[in-house]
Amino acid sequence: GENVEQHPSTLSVQEGDSAVIKCTYSDSASNYFPWYKQELGKGPQLIIDIRSNVGEKKDQRIAVTLNKTAKHFSLHITETQPEDSAVYFCAASYGNFNKFYFGSGTKLNVKP
Amino acid sequence: ETGVTQSPTHLIKTRGQQVTLRCSSQSGHNTVSWYQQALGQGPQFIFQYYREEENGRGNFPPRFSGLQFPNYSSELNVNALELDDSALYLCASSPTSGRPNEQYFGPGTRLTVT
C-alpha cells in the first residue's frame, strides 16, 4: 500500500512569515493529493487539493506544488496569521475509491 | 447545505463492550468513509460505503463493521472493544465513488475504552 511521510512534525513561525510543509509518497499510482487543517477538537477541514495532472495550485495565501518524478508535494502558506495555527495533514489517494493515506501531521504555531 | 454530522460527540465504554457510532452525510453525497485517528497521528482508513455496499476496507479486524442506509447516513459498529480502540472516529462523505476526490469530514466521535 501507499506510505506517506510528512515533515516537519512541528513548525513555529512568526506572524507574517511563510510556512512550508513537505510530504513524500511511495506509490507512483497516487493521483490525488489533498491537504487538511485540523483544529483542536474538530474534524479535518479540506483546505486545498491537487491532482497528478497539475504541478501547482494556488488559493489566496495557500499553494500546493507537486513533483511526480520525485514523488513529493508541499503546502505553502504565505503571510501567516495566528488563526493558521493548527495541525496540517497531507494525504494521497489512487484507484477506484476514496481511500486516503494520511501523513502523520505537522503542528503549525504562528506567533503573534 | 448541511455538513457532515456525527453522534455522539464523546463516548466512554468498557473493554469487551460493543459500540455504535453514527454519521449523516453532507447533502448530495452518496459515499461515506470511516477513519480512526489515534492521538497525535493521522487518520487511518477503516472502510468505505457506496450505495449501501462496502466499497473498500483498510487493515482493521472484522469486529469493525458498518452499514449505510438508503438516505446515505452510516453507522460504524465495533464489537469486543479493546483499550487500543480508544481514538477519534471520523466520518467523511464525498459526492461520488469511482475516483479519488474531495472528502468532507465530520467533527468526530471521541471513544474512550477503559
Side-chain angles (χ1 to χ4, degrees), chain B residues 20-31:
Chain B
T20 297
L21 311 181
R22 294 178 174 82
C23 169
S24 290
S25 303
Q26 185 163 321
S27 176
H29 289 185
N30 58 15
T31 303

Side-chain angles (χ1 to χ4, degrees), chain A residues 2 4 25 27-34 50-52 73 90-102, chain B residues 35 45 48 99-103:
Chain A
E2 174 64 277
V4 178
Y25 60 98
D27 196 324
S28 57
S30 288
N31 57 7
Y32 177 67
F33 307 92
I50 192 167
R51 297 190 184 274
S52 59
F73 55 114
C90 62
S93 183
Y94 63 91
N96 292 326
F97 64 99
N98 263 351
K99 178 178 181 178
F100 283 9
Y101 296 86
F102 280 87
Chain B
Y35 291 81
F45 177 79
Q48 180 183 93
R99 68 163 194 167
N101 54 32
E102 310 85 57
Q103 287 191 36

Side-chain angles (χ1 to χ4, degrees), chain B residues 21-107:
Chain B
L21 311 181
R22 294 178 174 82
C23 169
S24 290
S25 303
Q26 185 163 321
S27 176
H29 289 185
N30 58 15
T31 303
V32 174
S33 300
W34 285 90
Y35 291 81
Q36 180 195 67
Q37 186 177 24
L39 203 59
Q41 297 184 22
Q44 299 286 318
F45 177 79
I46 303 174
F47 44 56
Q48 180 183 93
Y49 279 81
Y50 170 64
R51 292 186 175 178
E52 303 175 56
E53 297 285 334
E54 186 178 293
N55 188 37
R57 190 176 185 92
N59 294 327
F60 281 82
R63 59 189 185 84
F64 285 78
S65 62
L67 282 173
Q68 187 181 31
F69 300 99
N71 66 355
Y72 304 132
S73 65
S74 178
E75 286 182 355
L76 165 66
N77 299 288
V78 187
N79 293 322
L81 284 167
E82 300 176 0
L83 297 179
D84 284 348
D85 295 334
S86 295
L88 181 68
Y89 288 85
L90 295 162
C91 165
S93 73
S94 49
T96 61
S97 185
R99 68 163 194 167
N101 54 32
E102 310 85 57
Q103 287 191 36
Y104 298 91
F105 283 83

